Amino acid sequence: MTSTDFVHPPTYEGAQFRCPRCNVVAQQEWSEVYMVLGKHPNQPNMLTLNSRLHPAEVLKVSCCYVCKRFSVWQNMTPVWPSSSQISPPSEDMPVNVREHYEEARSVYNLSPKSAAALLRLAIQHLCIDLGGSGKNINEDIGLLVRNGLPEKIRKALDVVRVIGNNAVHPGLIAIDDNPGVVAALFKLVNMIVDDMITEPAEVQTMFEALPTGAKEAIDKRDS
């Protein structure tokens, strides 16, 4: 997923946004659907749909002009597809971090604030895997910085921390007005895992595959 995936995020009654079905920025056509609490005459196990009844049960659907497929919205929130615009967790994400990431991914469309708070919890656990104590996320980031944490990763951790804090405490970041900010946090969490866990492991694996003599010469050089 690239940074452009978070440009033009889906917005309620938006005339154009990135389609959650085909991932293309496209014009959207909107229509209303009302549920009728009755039985279909030919299929008694199904509820009927009627555009004129039960306005309290109204749903809206957006139809993409490119892929011609629908997305379903309820209470001005996209409810289906649930999280197609959010990347799955990195394969090397620790299990305890992955659990919070997946939960955040599952609730993102329903509550971006909840997703942001869960991602903050995810990086709190990630800091423990990177060498922190887990008692205070801000102090853990400071400790990791003193131990040589790259500046890019420090900034990424602080972005997720600050926005996650803002989700549960009043702040200056209007998450409800810009859910795309929270969508970008998922990308940051995966980036941190890739930089701090995946890439070092790949380098170590390749280094261990070098001939023994070559590794001994390297050790001698650096001793």
Side-chain angles (χ1 to χ4, degrees), residues 71-140:
S71 299
V72 182
W73 298 65
Q74 183 178 24
N75 296 329
M76 299 186 292
T77 300
V79 294
W80 186 84
S82 60
S83 59
S84 62
Q85 71 269 43
I86 303 298
S87 288
S90 169
E91 292 183 2
D92 295 313
M93 186 175 291
V95 174
N96 54 344
V97 181
R98 180 187 295 265
E99 291 175 354
H100 297 299
Y101 184 100
E102 289 283 26
E103 186 177 358
R105 190 167 176 254
S106 70
V107 303
Y108 166 70
N109 281 338
L110 297 175
S111 175
K113 284 184 178 180
S114 297
L118 285 164
L119 289 176
R120 180 202 173 282
L121 187 58
I123 65 163
Q124 184 168 356
H125 284 279
L126 183 56
C127 283
I128 298 174
D129 286 277
L130 297 178
S133 67
K135 295 179 180 179
N136 183 295
I137 186 174
N138 193 43
E139 292 179 1
D140 277 352

Side-chain angles (χ1 to χ4, degrees), residues 195-215:
D195 276 36
M196 299 300 295
I197 298 177
T198 302
E199 292 181 6
E202 290 175 349
V203 171
Q204 183 64 27
T205 298
M206 295 181 69
F207 182 82
E208 293 299 331
L210 293 176
T212 300
K215 290 188 288 185

Side-chain angles (χ1 to χ4, degrees), residues 110-216:
L110 297 175
S111 175
K113 284 184 178 180
S114 297
L118 285 164
L119 289 176
R120 180 202 173 282
L121 187 58
I123 65 163
Q124 184 168 356
H125 284 279
L126 183 56
C127 283
I128 298 174
D129 286 277
L130 297 178
S133 67
K135 295 179 180 179
N136 183 295
I137 186 174
N138 193 43
E139 292 179 1
D140 277 352
I141 294 173
L143 173 64
L144 295 173
V145 169
R146 292 191 293 275
N147 290 338
L149 187 74
E151 179 72 2
K152 178 179 74 172
I153 303 303
R154 191 272 298 170
K155 288 181 178 178
L157 287 170
D158 277 328
V159 168
V160 180
R161 177 184 65 83
V162 171
I163 295 179
N165 284 343
N166 188 85
V168 293
H169 302 290
L172 300 177
I173 304 171
I175 292 177
D176 289 337
D177 296 334
N178 189 9
V181 169
V182 179
L185 298 184
F186 290 90
K187 179 174 181 287
L188 288 182
V189 175
N190 271 335
M191 183 201 74
I192 296 167
V193 173
D194 290 342
D195 276 36
M196 299 300 295
I197 298 177
T198 302
E199 292 181 6
E202 290 175 349
V203 171
Q204 183 64 27
T205 298
M206 295 181 69
F207 182 82
E208 293 299 331
L210 293 176
T212 300
K215 290 188 288 185
E216 290 175 349

